[in-house]
Amino acid sequence: MSTKFCDTFGIEHPVVLAPMAGVASDALVAAVSNAGGLGLTPLWHVSTDDLRTSVRNIKQLTDKPFGVNLNMDFPSLEHLDACLEEEVEVISLFWRPPGEFLARAKAGGAKVVYSAGDAADAKAAAELGADAICAQGWEAGGHVRGTVGSMALIPAVVDAVGDIPVVAAGGIADGRGLAAALSLGASAVWVGTRFLAAAEANVHPDYLSHLLAASENDTAHFDDLFDIGWPDAPHRALNNSTTKMWEESGRLPLGQRPGEGDVVASTSTGGEVLRYQSKSPSGDLTGNVEAISMWAGQGVSMVKEVQSASDIVLEIVNEADATLQRILCR
Ligand SMILES: Cc1cc2nc3c(=O)[nH]c(=O)nc-3n(C[C@H](O)[C@H](O)[C@H](O)COP(=O)(O)O)c2cc1C
């Protein structure tokens, strides 16, 4: 199955590994690219030295295209320049309008995907020269830019950006989702939560077991609950002991929340993880990981088993093919 997005980015299948800070290992990014999809690695939260190391490592693992994701709420031209010096082919920008980052990435020879939460945001980035737009629906796990669900957002963004390929994100976890996204005019899908259960993902076992057990009812969208380290950034996560405690307190505001200041886990280097911190529960953490921000999208009910990243890519594509055939035969 090939689409305009595949042609533009030189890949075989219209499946993008959504950038997921803290849990997207180099091995996962490379495995998705090796399977014919497009692996994206978020490297905005690491030093530029670590960024370079990670990019070089991924290049050892794959000779296929992959990309680096940068967060415009923590803008760093040093990070972008390091990517360009390392000849990263694709730059993914999210959270705020891309401004000079987009032009600089393009001038440096990279292709740019901009993640938008509504059609106006998407159109503005398209006019600046983005090569593709990711339309992130409200169902998405992690930080969620907009307030519109994928079903309404995808066609709105497709209509707004003209010929530029649109990648659909949010609640898409299997081939039925890919078929639906293509039907709505998208050119690829951007899948996060499903890949948290990839064998190569760097997720903590307690996080994984909660993901595998969760239904579509088990996530919630919060304006500013897990906000330590990244304020004013709405997000979607699994309900857990922290969200329950906060709900039971009557949703007290910042500064009065129950257990604020609790250290609930620590990193392998001894760093403290606070109860209301914005932190992916990665494999290296120890402590009460269940209390941390267990990011997940509403498509979590479709995450049923641990599989290799390549099996996930191929299953999504084959199931989408079969779904489209079935629809045409009706
Ligand atoms: C654990 C986790 C971490 C995330 N980190 C990032 C990030 O660093 N950069 C980014 O652009 N999006 C991030 N996101 C959002 C994803 O890129 C994507 O939009 C979302 O996962 C798509 O929805 P889905 O989870 O329903 O597939 C994250 C999502 C999750 C679940």
Side-chain angles (χ1 to χ4, degrees):
M1 177 182 290
S2 191
T3 65
K4 184 169 185 188
F5 182 83
C6 298
D7 296 343
T8 308
F9 289 84
I11 59 170
E12 199 182 336
H13 302 304
V15 177
V16 178
L17 166 68
M20 294 188 285
V23 294
S25 65
D26 296 347
L28 176 60
V29 175
V32 170
S33 289
N34 280 331
L38 180 68
L40 294 180
T41 182
L43 294 174
W44 51 271
H45 58 303
V46 302
S47 69
T48 49
D49 282 349
D50 287 350
L51 180 153
R52 287 179 195 275
T53 304
S54 192
V55 167
R56 289 175 193 174
N57 192 29
I58 295 168
K59 284 191 174 179
Q60 293 288 316
L61 300 171
T62 183
D63 56 5
K64 303 274 177 60
F66 69 93
V68 171
N69 167 258
L70 300 176
N71 182 344
M72 296 292 90
D73 231 9
F74 302 89
S76 161
L77 286 172
E78 255 182 57
H79 279 63
L80 176 60
D81 289 344
C83 291
L84 299 174
E85 282 159 25
E86 297 295 329
E87 299 183 344
V88 170
E89 287 181 51
V90 180
I91 300 291
S92 140
L93 301 172
F94 88 122
W95 207 258
R96 296 213 176 274
E100 66 178 306
F101 280 71
L102 198 152
R104 194 158 168 149
K106 294 216 48 153
K111 295 202 166 68
V112 176
V113 188
Y114 175 69
S115 295
D118 63 37
D121 190 17
K123 189 166 190 277
E127 284 169 359
L128 287 176
D131 297 282
I133 299 292
C134 165
Q136 190 204 36
W138 196 71
E139 302 91 326
H143 289 86
V144 184
R145 190 68 193 124
T147 54
V148 181
S150 297
M151 188 78 145
L153 180 69
I154 299 163
V157 170
V158 167
D159 289 347
V161 302
D163 285 344
I164 297 169
V166 171
V167 190
I172 298 162
D174 65 14
R176 294 169 297 180
L178 171 54
L182 295 175
S183 305
L184 292 170
S187 192
V189 288
W190 181 283
V191 179
T193 299
R194 173 83 188 267
F195 281 111
L196 291 171
E200 298 89 343
N202 177 26
V203 295
H204 192 280
D206 294 351
Y207 181 25
L208 178 62
S209 60
H210 281 89
L211 290 164
L212 293 173
S215 82
E216 71 281 9
N217 292 314
D218 291 333
T219 74
H221 180 273
F222 303 99
D223 284 340
D224 52 8
L225 187 65
F226 294 108
D227 63 350
I228 297 175
W230 189 0
D232 303 320
H235 42 258
R236 181 177 295 284
L238 290 178
N239 284 311
N240 65 359
S241 52
T242 298
T243 66
K244 186 162 183 274
M245 195 189 260
W246 176 71
E247 297 282 357
E248 286 171 0
S249 78
R251 303 182 170 209
L252 287 171
L254 173 68
Q256 297 170 36
R257 298 179 294 196
E260 231 170 27
D262 289 354
V263 175
V264 290
S266 50
T267 67
S268 54
T269 53
E272 294 179 338
V273 180
L274 299 173
R275 181 176 294 283
Y276 294 99
Q277 192 168 331
S278 167
K279 175 84 184 160
S280 297
S282 50
D284 63 305
L285 301 185
T286 49
N288 183 10
V289 169
E290 183 275 341
I292 304 174
S293 49
M294 294 194 289
W295 314 123
Q298 291 179 321
V300 68
S301 61
M302 288 173 267
V303 180
K304 297 192 175 99
E305 58 177 332
V306 175
Q307 291 169 282
S308 68
S310 95
D311 281 356
I312 294 174
V313 171
L314 296 179
E315 193 180 291
I316 290 175
V317 172
N318 292 335
E319 192 186 16
D321 259 334
T323 302
L324 292 169
Q325 288 304 324
R326 203 174 56 234
I327 293 168
L328 292 173
C329 290
R330 276 197 180 142

